Amino acid sequence: MEVCVDSIESALNATRGGASRLEVCSSLAEGGLTPSTGLLRVITDNVAIPCYAMIRPRGGDFVYSELELQVMEKDVEMMIQCGALGVVFGCLNLAGEVDVDAVTRLVTAAKAKLSTVSLTFHRAIDMARDINKSAKLVTQLGFDRILTSGGQKTALEGAQCIAGLVKELDCRVMPGGGINEDNLEEIQTKTKCVEFHASARVRKESKMEFQNSACSMGTSSQEFSVMVTSKETVANL
């Protein structure tokens, strides 16, 4: 079980709950963005399981400009320098196909920094025009695994597509998207996958005694509660 985390508390809870690997991000509410170097370094200093880092410089689509790709190349180098054993990314072009040139640049940057780096193509694959064609191309570009919900909102809804990818591809297919204690067994049965991806989060209320409800830090922010990975939920998974 790979658990995606965006805080040190979540990372420690996931590890204590029995996670086999962490995907370290920021802003899971946006689907996961590149974490800070400080967060990744502190996590890798305090857990014994492998940590992979998300490489995604902003929310929104997966079509990146030249300067954004330069940011991503630098982030790849810094994440590996801070202890990441793998990186997670994906790039598409305007037609909804895998951006081979952009992906190749990032693969090259990662392998130049760490020859044994593990590469995961993330759920950008679910936004591709032809998920099967794109997945086959991704395997040819050097990725070890593909994280996917089968092109649907959840991995359970996309289980049939995921099962087809498992049969067709040489790389590992890892279901992700809405996986929980209630549906994991069904997804495993339908897809025959051996790796799974979840956040296993619960809401944690703030302990602040004074709370200024008249002020907000963002358009949809929650200043007095936070979503945190649950040790118990991970253990149940």
Side-chain angles (χ1 to χ4, degrees):
M1 177 61 65
E2 175 183 89
V3 178
C4 51
V5 300
D6 61 2
S7 69
I8 182 64
E9 181 178 4
S10 287
L12 295 178
N13 287 349
T15 304
R16 292 164 181 161
S20 57
R21 184 173 64 241
L22 301 179
E23 178 193 86
V24 183
C25 314
S26 66
S27 301
L28 277 175
E30 289 194 75
L33 302 179
T34 307
S36 72
T37 54
L39 175 62
L40 181 61
R41 181 77 275 176
V42 172
I43 289 176
T44 57
D45 282 346
N46 284 275
V47 304
I49 60 177
C51 295
Y52 293 178
M54 172 67 75
I55 307 296
R56 188 182 176 208
R58 55 162 173 77
D61 65 28
F62 302 99
V63 180
Y64 298 111
S65 69
E66 170 59 29
L67 288 178
E68 286 176 325
L69 284 171
Q70 291 180 29
V71 171
M72 295 170 80
E73 286 177 314
K74 294 294 184 183
D75 282 340
V76 164
E77 295 174 5
M78 293 305 298
M79 293 298 107
I80 293 174
Q81 186 173 317
C82 288
L85 297 180
V87 287
V88 183
F89 58 88
C91 308
L92 301 178
N93 60 27
L94 294 175
E97 299 169 340
V98 175
D99 187 333
V100 175
D101 291 340
V103 167
T104 300
R105 281 176 59 174
L106 298 177
V107 169
T108 300
K111 289 188 176 294
K113 190 67 176 179
L114 180 66
S115 62
T116 58
V117 67
S118 183
L119 301 173
T120 301
F121 196 97
H122 61 40
R123 289 188 60 201
I125 198 77
D126 294 318
M127 299 299 186
R129 180 187 298 271
D130 186 328
I131 189 170
N132 294 81
K133 177 181 176 181
S134 295
K136 290 177 182 177
L137 178 56
V138 164
T139 64
Q140 296 169 8
L141 294 174
F143 286 84
D144 302 296
R145 66 180 51 76
I146 297 174
L147 170 63
T148 179
S149 61
Q152 302 297 318
K153 289 183 179 180
T154 69
L156 182 58
E157 293 175 274
Q160 183 176 352
C161 175
I162 296 172
L165 292 176
V166 170
K167 293 177 181 178
E168 293 179 10
L169 302 179
D170 292 330
C171 77
R172 186 153 290 181
V173 179
M174 179 169 62
I179 291 181
N180 56 48
E181 302 165 64
D182 297 325
N183 62 26
L184 176 59
E185 185 175 357
E186 182 178 356
I187 294 170
Q188 185 176 27
T189 300
K190 288 183 174 180
T191 65
K192 304 298 188 292
C193 290
V194 296
E195 288 188 6
F196 301 88
H197 174 96
S199 63
R201 295 188 299 166
V202 297
R203 186 169 297 280
K204 178 182 178 181
E205 299 298 328
S206 170
K207 294 182 179 180
M208 286 190 68
E209 296 177 1
F210 172 76
Q211 298 186 5
N212 182 6
S213 59
C215 183
S216 176
M217 297 292 107
T219 55
S220 60
S221 58
Q222 297 288 333
E223 279 68 53
F224 302 110
S225 67
V226 64
M227 297 300 290
V228 178
T229 298
S230 163
K231 171 187 171 183
E232 291 73 23
T233 301
V234 174
N236 289 336
L237 288 171

